[in-house]
Amino acid sequence: MAGTRRLTSAVLLLALGVAGCTSAGRSRPEPTAPRPFQGVTYYGPGSRAALHTAEEHLVAACMRGKGFTYHPQPQPTGPNRLDTNPYLLLTETQARRDGYGETETVLSTPRPAAATGTHAYEENDPRWKAALLGTDRHRVYVRLPGTLEFFYNTDSCVLAADTRLYGRDYQRLYNTFQVLTGRVVDQVTGDARYRAAMRRWQGCMRDAGQRAHTLDEPPAAIQKQLQRAGTDPTALHAVAGRELKLARTDAGCQRRAGLFDVVAHAQRDAERAVLRAAGAGADADLARLLEARQRAIARATGSATPPA
């Protein structure tokens, strides 16, 4: 993995030189890319790492209590798709540093490992798997807004650890607001103000020699180029340079089109409408989820290995 990270850094640093990236100062700070409901369902890289460590140790403690051994697993390294803004908004700092994160994601993704890892033996034991993941006869289904539902097994150590860290009703709250977040994003991207800003962005991109109709087209184009590049270092280096250049153009056009401000204003209106449509109790559920989120982060960052 360390070798992969070194290759990633080398490719991107070389590409920075090719793309002519500079770190010129700015007269005002960049806007923060909006996320629905104060980003209640989003955890940044630092919080994710702390929460992962805390939860893994809680799982291990639960498994010990059932007479099994569980070795806490490290969190995968490298870029994470969770960090992508739900509206695909891109700051100029992000663009200069990482582009869209596509090349780095490819270079940081580990190859599939053979089943000889830490839990290779235990995973073949149905009792060990049942202790970790629970059993069907203890399955509970929970309805979500619309026709969606999710389930969990009440006898699993995964659920026990999750409950200790986040609280009893967290999974219902979290999954509910995942659904409501999607509804907010849909309303924002259908808003007339957003569509007008997108036309400005399209014109800016066209003037820069880049034809794109939606914000997902530029990173998708880079993904296709990476697929063609395969594992050829020279080809990957060339794609990394093109990615940084395209992302910088994209981010600059987003700023000039006023997309950040438009999304922020449209999002406030959409959140009110979505919460109203969700019915009585939605506002209280949001407050509870925000509190549970803050409490879990405080627990996880206060100790790398919370008490069992």
Side-chain angles (χ1 to χ4, degrees):
M1 234 6 240
T4 300
R5 288 196 294 273
R6 284 197 295 271
L7 176 59
T8 301
S9 300
V11 168
L12 290 177
L13 284 171
L14 283 169
L16 283 168
V18 171
C21 179
T22 64
S23 56
R26 294 191 169 277
S27 58
R28 62 176 183 173
E30 284 187 306
T32 301
R35 289 179 180 271
F37 303 115
Q38 305 172 53
V40 69
T41 62
Y42 170 72
Y43 295 87
S47 294
R48 283 202 305 272
L51 289 164
H52 174 85
T53 299
E55 194 160 8
E56 284 290 298
H57 281 86
L58 288 169
V59 169
C62 175
M63 292 291 279
R64 281 197 305 273
K66 294 186 177 186
F68 296 100
T69 299
Y70 178 89
H71 303 283
Q73 299 297 290
Q75 186 181 40
T77 59
N80 195 307
R81 299 291 184 194
L82 294 173
D83 293 320
T84 302
N85 180 267
Y87 304 102
L88 302 183
L89 297 179
L90 184 68
T91 69
E92 290 175 279
T93 297
Q94 288 175 306
R96 288 196 307 271
R97 184 185 62 225
D98 302 318
Y100 298 106
E102 297 295 342
T103 304
E104 191 174 358
T105 296
V106 168
L107 293 173
S108 299
T109 300
R111 295 177 181 175
T116 57
T118 307
H119 294 305
Y121 172 76
E122 292 93 336
E123 286 174 358
N124 292 322
D125 182 350
R127 296 172 305 162
W128 185 91
K129 291 180 69 174
L132 179 66
L133 303 176
T135 56
D136 292 352
R137 65 179 177 273
H138 291 91
R139 180 161 295 177
V140 172
Y141 289 86
V142 180
R143 289 293 303 272
L144 295 173
T147 59
L148 299 173
E149 64 180 16
F150 76 98
F151 68 84
Y152 56 83
N153 297 331
T154 59
D155 58 338
S156 74
C157 277
V158 169
L159 178 67
D162 183 269
T163 301
R164 286 288 305 274
L165 186 57
Y166 295 97
R168 287 204 171 275
D169 203 25
Y170 178 80
Q171 283 300 326
R172 180 188 70 82
L173 295 169
Y174 178 85
N175 283 286
T176 293
F177 276 88
Q178 284 280 58
V179 174
L180 298 184
T181 288
R183 293 182 180 179
V184 168
V185 171
D186 287 344
Q187 286 201 23
V188 168
T189 54
D191 191 290
R193 292 167 290 184
Y194 178 85
R195 293 199 298 269
M198 281 299 297
R199 287 192 291 272
R200 295 192 294 271
W201 174 80
Q202 292 163 359
C204 177
M205 291 289 281
R206 186 168 55 249
D207 292 344
Q210 302 291 340
R211 290 194 172 274
H213 296 92
T214 59
L215 294 176
D216 61 346
E217 288 183 20
I222 296 299
Q223 289 173 11
K224 290 180 181 178
Q225 292 180 37
L226 287 168
Q227 290 172 358
R228 290 195 294 269
T231 58
D232 180 358
T234 302
L236 287 171
H237 169 246
V239 175
R242 289 193 293 271
E243 177 180 357
L244 288 168
K245 184 177 180 180
L246 177 58
R248 287 163 57 206
T249 298
D250 184 355
C253 284
Q254 290 189 27
R255 174 177 55 79
R256 285 188 282 276
L259 266 169
F260 280 67
D261 288 339
V262 165
V263 167
H265 285 94
Q267 179 178 273
R268 282 195 289 271
D269 295 340
E271 285 175 347
R272 285 194 292 268
V274 166
L275 286 175
R276 187 166 56 247
D283 288 287
D285 277 352
L286 175 57
R288 291 175 61 202
L289 182 56
L290 285 165
E291 183 182 356
R293 180 184 186 278
Q294 292 176 324
R295 191 166 54 241
I297 292 173
R299 287 171 177 163
T301 55
S303 172
T305 55

